[in-house]
Amino acid sequence: TKWDVDGDLLWGYFFTDPDTNKLERAAQRLTASGYRLVQIYPTDDKSTCVLHVERIEKHTPQTLQARNDEFEKLASELGLESYDGMDVGPVLTK
């Protein structure tokens, strides 16, 4: 990739649950911690819903593993169906 993988990147994190109220509570908790709510939306087959939040962060393999562990724990604490993982992209400047 042409991205500086050792620098700041835009990390997106995803949680799933069929109950949008539970996802909204998770979104409130995450936005209070500095994450930006992107959206809560139904999956294509409407079987569940997805919460997408994002934040500009710098990660090493170890800090990314710690973040994933933190979000697995959060999903469990909030009774969510799952922490569904993350994606990453460059920070776009305007």
Side-chain angles (χ1 to χ4, degrees):
T1 181
K2 295 179 183 179
W3 309 334
D4 176 8
V5 296
D6 295 320
D8 288 337
L9 293 170
L10 182 61
W11 290 89
Y13 302 98
F14 301 88
F15 298 83
T16 65
D17 200 273
D19 184 346
T20 58
N21 291 321
K22 288 167 57 176
L23 293 173
E24 287 169 2
R25 285 191 294 276
Q28 289 173 349
R29 190 154 162 190
L30 290 161
T31 57
S33 296
Y35 293 87
R36 185 180 81 81
L37 172 61
V38 176
Q39 67 179 349
I40 296 173
Y41 58 93
T43 56
D44 290 340
D45 68 2
K46 312 279 191 263
S47 64
T48 196
C49 294
V50 178
L51 163 63
H52 177 192
V53 296
E54 65 184 15
R55 185 163 76 177
I56 295 170
E57 298 181 314
K58 185 183 300 188
H59 281 296
T60 64
Q62 295 79 15
T63 63
L64 184 57
Q65 182 61 51
R67 176 72 75 239
N68 284 322
D69 292 345
E70 171 190 345
F71 285 163
E72 287 280 350
K73 182 179 176 186
L74 178 65
S76 178
E77 286 175 9
L78 297 176
L80 300 177
E81 182 176 74
S82 76
Y83 164 60
D84 200 41
M86 76 287 181
D87 68 7
V88 64
V91 176
L92 302 176
T93 56
K94 293 183 179 187

